[in-house]
Amino acid sequence: MEAAHKNFMYGNYAGAIEMYTKLLGSFPENTDILLCRAIAYIRTAQYDPAIADLESSEKIKKTFQTHLRLGIAQFFKGKLSDARSNFKDARGMADSDSEKTLISSWIQKCACEEGLQSATRLNQSATVPSSGAHEETKAQYDWYQSAGHVNMVLRVRGCSRETLHVAFGAQELEATIKLQGDDSKQYAYTLSMEIVPEQSSYTVDDKKIEFKLKKKEDGVQWTSFEKVENKVGYVPAYPSSAKKKVDWNKLDKEVALDSAYEKPEGDDALNKLFKAIYEKADENTRKAMIKSFQTSGGTVLSTNWNEVKEKDYENKDRPEPPKGQEWRKPEL
């Protein structure tokens, strides 16, 4: 367990997930281990297994942390209605003002995201150069996003795949529509963040072109579709149909504060998890845990009594200590 937590705290989430999985083989209904593994899954954008762990944990014991993490995983998966429901359940279990503020921020974020997914029309436009009269025209577009993609709907008429050429760049999108003769219309955008061009696509009909852009960084929320040259101290508003303006700077700080909940904190976290497993264990498991940990100088922790009862960790079966440390028997 200690090794699993250390892997987590040092950012080795794959290693932590592997170790938590082994622990769950012995303690499949331990909600602390399920929560730890779910958080590691969220950190690596593996939202489906995170949701599965948290739903399993919720069936055993409903807690503030379980509902909070489940809401976060569902939010990034794009399941906004489910996320909102879990955030509300978490709010009902919150013990402190900071927890209530954190939950309120996530509920606000769900509301804004729902506004985007209902394709709230933005009053933005693109300049359309023409090789003929070079007249400037405007084309409205809508955009919304999920955890992994950004969708943009460009409102243009009379277009088809035969007359349309689309080019995706790392941070560029360009659509050129061929008109009669040598004339053409070009719509060019510098995107606010990078995409994966080879995993991006588009569809077209006689009223619109819809682009589906694969985010380079899953789970990162775009604050605007096009890149905005910020003035000093200016923060672009998150696009939303909500009447109340959300302070996303403040929300970012609150989400950063939330990150503190996600990391097990040293000895306190280890002791809590150790105690939880010990309390739910049978007599043989407890004997195995005590003997292996105490007689090995704290370097071995096993729950298998059939294996531990034959071991002599103080002599012939004594493990090698970590580099830079020396083996000694703990003082009891």
Side-chain angles (χ1 to χ4, degrees):
M1 287 175 291
E2 181 178 5
H5 285 324
K6 283 184 176 178
N7 273 284
F8 187 103
M9 287 186 284
Y10 286 106
N12 181 12
Y13 301 121
I17 290 169
E18 182 179 354
M19 292 180 181
Y20 289 136
T21 300
K22 289 180 180 179
L23 284 170
L24 285 167
S26 300
F27 306 98
E29 295 189 350
N30 186 283
T31 55
D32 293 315
I33 304 175
L34 284 167
L35 178 62
C36 288
R37 187 172 70 171
I39 295 172
Y41 277 135
I42 292 172
R43 287 292 184 89
T44 53
Q46 300 182 68
Y47 303 119
D48 285 329
I51 290 170
D53 275 358
L54 292 162
E55 287 179 342
S56 296
S57 180
E58 184 186 25
K59 290 177 182 178
I60 300 167
K61 184 179 180 181
K62 297 181 184 293
T63 67
F64 170 83
Q65 288 292 330
T66 301
H67 284 297
L68 171 63
R69 303 302 160 196
L70 186 52
I72 291 172
Q74 290 167 335
F75 176 87
F76 286 120
K77 188 65 180 175
K79 298 180 177 180
L80 299 179
S81 178
D82 292 339
R84 181 195 290 270
S85 176
N86 274 293
F87 287 140
K88 288 182 177 180
D89 288 339
R91 184 170 59 186
M93 298 179 179
D95 293 325
S96 65
D97 290 340
S98 62
E99 288 179 345
K100 292 176 182 177
T101 300
L102 177 65
I103 292 299
S104 296
S105 298
W106 275 107
I107 291 174
Q108 282 183 313
K109 198 167 184 179
C110 280
C112 290
E113 196 71 10
E114 285 170 337
L116 292 175
Q117 291 201 359
S118 65
T120 302
R121 178 162 293 182
L122 302 177
N123 294 322
Q124 300 186 21
S125 62
T127 300
V128 186
S130 170
S131 61
H134 298 286
E135 295 179 355
E136 289 189 355
T137 59
K138 294 182 178 181
Q140 290 184 325
Y141 68 81
D142 305 325
W143 76 281
Y144 56 96
Q145 62 184 309
S146 62
H149 292 85
V150 172
N151 291 62
M152 191 269 262
V153 181
L154 183 62
R155 306 292 179 180
V156 294
R157 291 181 176 274
C159 186
S160 67
R161 278 195 170 269
E162 291 72 26
T163 60
L164 175 65
H165 173 75
V166 174
F168 298 107
Q171 203 168 346
E172 295 83 28
L173 169 62
E174 184 177 295
T176 304
I177 302 174
K178 182 175 174 55
L179 304 176
Q180 291 183 351
D182 295 329
D183 287 347
S184 64
K185 291 181 179 180
Q186 186 179 66
Y187 304 83
Y189 306 91
T190 300
L191 306 175
S192 66
M193 301 189 73
E194 291 189 15
I195 63 172
V196 182
E198 58 271 20
Q199 295 182 31
S200 300
S201 60
Y202 69 94
T203 58
V204 58
D205 59 35
D206 61 350
K207 294 181 180 179
K208 66 182 184 300
I209 309 168
E210 184 166 0
F211 303 93
K212 186 174 184 179
L213 312 178
K214 173 60 180 173
K215 292 180 179 179
K216 185 175 181 180
E217 297 182 75
D218 284 344
V220 175
Q221 298 298 298
W222 291 22
T223 56
S224 63
F225 181 74
E226 295 182 74
K227 184 176 181 179
V228 177
E229 296 297 336
N230 289 346
K231 299 178 181 179
V232 176
Y234 170 75
V235 178
Y238 197 99
S240 169
S241 59
K243 294 181 179 179
K244 183 178 179 181
K245 190 172 182 179
V246 179
D247 186 346
W248 291 101
N249 259 349
K250 181 180 178 183
L251 178 58
D252 286 343
K253 292 177 182 178
E254 289 161 351
V255 173
L257 175 64
D258 175 47
S259 296
Y261 288 109
E262 297 185 2
K263 292 188 177 183
E265 297 293 339
D267 292 339
D268 289 340
L270 292 175
N271 292 336
K272 180 181 177 182
L273 189 55
F274 187 103
K275 182 179 179 181
I277 293 177
Y278 186 84
E279 287 177 348
K280 298 175 184 177
D282 58 29
E283 182 180 354
N284 283 341
T285 299
R286 291 182 178 182
K287 288 193 297 184
M289 293 171 72
I290 292 171
K291 179 182 177 181
S292 62
F293 192 75
Q294 290 185 348
T295 62
S296 69
T299 60
V300 175
L301 179 61
S302 174
T303 57
N304 187 341
W305 176 243
N306 290 329
E307 175 185 300
V308 172
K309 67 181 180 181
E310 305 296 336
K311 294 287 186 179
D312 183 3
Y313 292 116
E314 294 176 288
N315 295 294
K316 66 182 181 69
D317 297 316
R318 185 169 72 183
E320 289 296 322
K323 186 177 180 180
Q325 300 181 20
E326 62 179 16
W327 195 98
R328 66 178 181 178
K329 186 175 180 179
E331 297 179 2
L332 303 177

